Amino acid sequence: MIISEVCKKYEITADTLRYYEKIGLLRDVPRSQNGQRDYDDLSCAIVEFVKCMRSAGLSIESLTEYMNLFYEGDSTIAKRKEVLIKQRDLLEARLKDEMKALERLNYKIDNYETFNEKKRGN
Amino acid sequence: MIISEVCKKYEITADTLRYYEKIGLLRDVPRSQNGQRDYDDLSCAIVEFVKCMRSAGLSIESLTEYMNLFYEGDSTIAKRKEVLIKQRDLLEARLKDEMKALERLNYKIDNYETFNEKKRGN
DNA sequence: GCTTGACTTAGAGCTAACTCTAGCACTTAT
DNA sequence: ATAAGTGCTAGAGTTAGCTCTAAGTCAAGC
């Protein structure tokens, strides 16, 4: 799969894909004779995973940490799980904050209040 | 309320509070004779609101848009509501992406899979 | 009366995550 | 066989949102 196809499929720019390789988040993308990237199934699976996690706000740093362990081989499975658990916990905490803000936005929208009115759990 | 107290109360740095004023997100913070900030109830309420919305990922830009309308007065209430609705919708969309990622992280954690294994809805 | 510590400003610096530029190669359609 | 389109690299530039620095003022304690 050529880069433009991967871009379309996962809605990600070519610049970003090349950037991910430059920083080592994505490695070993196969090349055709003329030097062009030719993404295989594993590369695509990683791109898709990274896309999903990035769109949930996981940092490049945490994903690189995870992928570094992955590229090291099976001996790192326990450590990888730890990374995932840590990121899951961070994500859950963020979800909590967001849900609080969402409720508050909905309250304000339904029941418009400025900061001047008396509080009823504003 | 002096700046250090506001920092402690809302877990926000003094630099950030001053930055918010610099960019016009927060205005009209009262000063004592010697020129020090002395936050009143309205300033505190705004700080608290901004803190909550920032921790849910709303942009400074959108909050500034909202606050600009607020500082313009009551004639902007309808517009303010529009801003809130737009941000609420963006937040909901983000929550959806995050919940997808959260489920996936939980699946991976409970049922560890690398990218090499056959997919079962990985 | 001097030191310590909290406040002030303007403006520079930092980090994450891209995004763009320049300059070149290769392929494909006309 | 030439122009358009897509790919490549290295490296510079951008944006959001702080965060830090320098240089100064002021109040309180020893």
Side-chain angles (χ1 to χ4, degrees), chain A residues 45-62:
Chain A
I46 295 171
V47 168
E48 193 272 332
F49 174 72
V50 167
K51 172 75 200 289
C52 175
M53 294 302 143
R54 285 292 301 135
S55 71
L58 271 74
S59 68
I60 291 283
E61 189 186 17
S62 67

Side-chain angles (χ1 to χ4, degrees), chain A residues 7 9 18-19 21 27 34 55 59-60 72 78 80 96 117:
Chain A
C7 293
K9 188 162 181 191
R18 286 188 285 248
Y19 167 71
E21 265 185 84
R27 299 187 198 170
N34 58 19
S55 71
S59 68
I60 291 283
E72 263 186 64
R80 276 184 243 168
K96 264 184 203 164
E117 299 172 20

Side-chain angles (χ1 to χ4, degrees), chain A residues 42 48-49 55-56 66 70 80-81 84 88 94-95 97-98 101-102 104 106 108-109 112 114-115, chain B residues 42 48-49 55-56 66 70 80-81 88 94-95 97-98 101-102 104 106 108-109 112 114-115:
Chain A
L42 175 59
E48 193 272 332
F49 174 72
S55 71
Y66 179 77
F70 171 75
R80 276 184 243 168
K81 211 164 173 171
L84 295 180
R88 190 260 324 263
R94 241 169 332 113
L95 275 161
D97 286 345
E98 288 170 347
L102 179 60
R104 189 153 166 187
N106 277 327
K108 265 175 119 68
I109 289 164
Y112 193 81
T114 69
F115 301 98
Chain B
L42 176 58
E48 193 273 331
F49 174 71
S55 72
Y66 179 77
F70 171 76
R80 275 184 244 167
K81 210 164 172 171
R88 191 260 322 262
R94 242 169 330 115
L95 275 161
D97 285 344
E98 289 171 345
L102 179 60
R104 189 154 167 186
N106 277 327
K108 266 176 119 66
I109 288 164
Y112 194 81
T114 70
F115 301 98

Side-chain angles (χ1 to χ4, degrees), chain B residues 1-3 6 16-22 24-32 35-47 67 71:
Chain B
M1 229 188 176
I2 218 167
I3 200 164
V6 179
T16 299
L17 285 173
R18 286 187 285 246
Y19 168 71
Y20 286 167
E21 265 185 84
K22 185 151 59 177
L25 174 52
L26 182 56
R27 298 186 199 170
D28 309 325
V29 175
R31 302 281 182 136
S32 48
Q36 289 182 209
R37 288 168 181 82
D38 182 21
Y39 294 79
D40 58 5
D41 286 352
L42 176 58
S43 297
C44 285
I46 295 171
V47 168
M67 290 309 303
Y71 290 120

Side-chain angles (χ1 to χ4, degrees), chain B:
Chain B
M1 229 188 176
I2 218 167
I3 200 164
S4 56
E5 294 168 329
V6 179
C7 292
K8 214 168 287 174
K9 187 161 182 191
Y10 301 112
E11 297 193 280
I12 194 167
T13 71
D15 271 329
T16 299
L17 285 173
R18 286 187 285 246
Y19 168 71
Y20 286 167
E21 265 185 84
K22 185 151 59 177
I23 63 172
L25 174 52
L26 182 56
R27 298 186 199 170
D28 309 325
V29 175
R31 302 281 182 136
S32 48
Q33 304 96 316
N34 58 17
Q36 289 182 209
R37 288 168 181 82
D38 182 21
Y39 294 79
D40 58 5
D41 286 352
L42 176 58
S43 297
C44 285
I46 295 171
V47 168
E48 193 273 331
F49 174 71
V50 167
K51 171 75 200 289
C52 175
M53 294 303 144
R54 286 293 300 136
S55 72
L58 272 74
S59 68
I60 291 282
E61 189 186 16
S62 68
L63 294 171
T64 303
E65 187 186 359
Y66 179 77
M67 290 309 303
N68 282 344
L69 292 168
F70 171 76
Y71 290 120
E72 263 185 63
D74 286 351
S75 67
T76 65
I77 286 182
K79 279 187 192 172
R80 275 184 244 167
K81 210 164 172 171
E82 276 172 42
V83 173
L84 295 181
I85 288 169
K86 189 172 168 193
Q87 294 308 312
R88 191 260 322 262
D89 292 350
L90 285 172
L91 179 52
E92 269 182 350
R94 242 169 330 115
L95 275 161
K96 264 185 201 165
D97 285 344
E98 289 171 345
M99 277 159 50
K100 247 190 259 171
L102 179 60
E103 269 176 45
R104 189 154 167 186
L105 283 174
N106 277 327
Y107 181 88
K108 266 176 119 66
I109 288 164
D110 292 345
N111 190 337
Y112 194 81
E113 285 186 40
T114 70
F115 301 98
N116 293 312
E117 298 171 21
K118 44 217 76 82
K119 303 276 151 49
R120 2 177 147 68
N122 183 42

